[in-house]
Amino acid sequence: MRTRSIIRFLCLAIVASFSSLSSAQQAVSFAVSESGFVPTTSEQKLKIAVLMPQVDNPLTVFANSIVNGIKAENSQQSSPYEIILLPRKAGQSALSHLQDAALLGAVAAIGPVSRDDVNEISLLPFLPLPVVSLNLPQNGVSSPELMMNYSLSQEEEAKQITSIAIKALPIGTDGVIPSVAIFEADSPLEHRIADTYAKQLQAANIPFTRQTLTEELMAQSKFYSIENSSIPKPTLEKLPDATEDPYGYQRVKLRNERLMSQYRAKVEFEEAPYQAAFLVMDARTAALVKPRLPRTTRVWGTSMINPGNPEQSVTASLTYDLQNAGFVDSPLIVRYNDADFKASFGVNPPASLLERRLFAFGVDAYRLACVWMKWQPDIHMDGTTGTLSFRQGLTANVERIAQPAMILNGKIETLTAEQLAQPLQRP
């Protein structure tokens, strides 16, 4: 409590020292109590600042989708806040950006978005107001007392789906743990996610291989060979001479082809060289990869492999190619319905899957900010992006448990983690 009292004193000192710099801004006095920062003026709405990137920053497009969620959720409240958008100025420091928010009378700040900006704020000794950052700082970077870090981290989703996939692995009667495979697209983000899979599997002593998708690999019809199968190959009949006995030649050829088809079908459902495959790529690429895997190999992924609304013709074919694929995503996404969305938020649905996901991110960031500004150290809520938990005494990061789901018969079905880990029903 002594640390918190010191921080509050410093916060008030910062606000006081900068108030004289803004003659055009109406003065706002703050009362700091156990309920948080509360402006004492009765002439203005309470304000929440959104720390935006610089105007010319590519992240602004994504930040705008997040802001749409913040504003929509705010508009549904009986006493809405005034939402202030604060783009970061060229050359402006993180502390100065936060001080601008405090001077404008904000009781909390949501943002920034980029990891570099979050790292910069995390290194500050104190903050002038409560902050809900929209990314996680790098490993080993601790955050100030007034900082909460909330993210849609693909790495965190990878940890969650790996835990489910490990429970789903069939352990042999001899206790042998089956091998798994990681297939990753060749980009920095995908490699980071694949690294997370690898670390989780190593920690659980699960043997695995990693394969980066290349043009040569994608040119193959299968990512495995049936030559090493333990199932004996059928004995084929000798073909008669096609010229002397064309009818007999055709009959024997068809019988041999039938035997080989039956053999290949048995091999397809034989024990696969890897029992699970983690796909680190987008849904379109995943739909090309999955048919190249053994039939009995279960496929897992993060929200990246979610093809989106199966009612749209563009994604309908992807859902059939991704049959039985398990993943995690935001509840708002996997349970999405146009009518429900408009009824809940009073606005038209965002056009793309990414925009909807960022919209949900903004909704939950707003909800967290409304609680965090009141100094609540322990938070638990069922949000639009998942089940959110926060314990300030343990970490500054919000734990997000996304919704487990599976693609079944052209639809996305929501399941519990226990249901998703159950064996699949095979034909």
Side-chain angles (χ1 to χ4, degrees), residues 217-273:
L217 184 65
M218 293 301 293
Q220 300 177 18
S221 60
K222 297 290 182 182
F223 287 176
Y224 63 99
S225 173
I226 67 173
E227 299 303 321
N228 299 324
S229 172
S230 59
I231 298 177
K233 288 185 177 180
T235 302
L236 303 180
E237 297 181 50
K238 184 179 179 180
L239 291 170
D241 185 273
T243 304
E244 295 180 359
D245 186 8
Y247 179 68
Y249 173 86
Q250 193 64 28
R251 285 195 305 168
V252 173
K253 181 182 178 182
L254 289 174
R255 285 199 295 268
N256 286 345
E257 289 177 350
R258 189 178 300 112
L259 286 173
M260 286 303 297
S261 294
Q262 293 172 350
Y263 167 71
R264 292 191 187 94
K266 289 181 181 179
V267 171
E268 287 283 356
F269 288 98
E270 188 192 19
E271 183 176 345

Side-chain angles (χ1 to χ4, degrees), residues 13 22 43 70 78 179 206 224 245 297 303 332 358 377 379 394 397 415:
S22 180
E43 299 178 3
I70 293 172
S78 57
S179 180
I206 306 295
Y224 63 99
D245 186 8
T297 295
S303 57
L332 182 140
L358 293 174
I379 300 171
L394 298 178
N397 298 339
L415 305 169

Side-chain angles (χ1 to χ4, degrees), residues 247-372:
Y247 179 68
Y249 173 86
Q250 193 64 28
R251 285 195 305 168
V252 173
K253 181 182 178 182
L254 289 174
R255 285 199 295 268
N256 286 345
E257 289 177 350
R258 189 178 300 112
L259 286 173
M260 286 303 297
S261 294
Q262 293 172 350
Y263 167 71
R264 292 191 187 94
K266 289 181 181 179
V267 171
E268 287 283 356
F269 288 98
E270 188 192 19
E271 183 176 345
Y274 37 87
Q275 289 293 318
F278 296 93
L279 305 189
V280 192
M281 59 204 67
D282 60 30
R284 290 185 180 279
T285 306
L288 296 175
V289 169
K290 188 178 182 300
R292 291 171 162 84
L293 306 178
R295 290 280 188 91
T296 56
T297 295
R298 292 198 64 173
V299 167
W300 306 95
T302 66
S303 57
M304 290 180 70
I305 70 167
N306 181 359
N309 187 355
E311 296 179 0
Q312 297 178 351
S313 58
V314 177
T315 57
S317 61
L318 299 182
T319 59
Y320 284 102
D321 290 331
L322 290 170
Q323 172 75 1
N324 293 329
F327 63 96
V328 294
D329 203 343
S330 300
L332 182 140
I333 301 299
V334 294
R335 298 173 183 158
Y336 180 78
N337 177 278
D338 278 345
D340 291 343
F341 182 96
K342 194 160 187 177
S344 297
F345 303 108
V347 295
N348 291 324
S352 71
L353 184 64
L354 175 59
E355 288 173 318
R356 291 174 188 172
R357 197 172 282 128
L358 293 174
F359 182 98
F361 190 32
V363 169
D364 283 354
Y366 172 88
R367 293 174 179 176
L368 287 169
C370 290
V371 181
W372 182 227

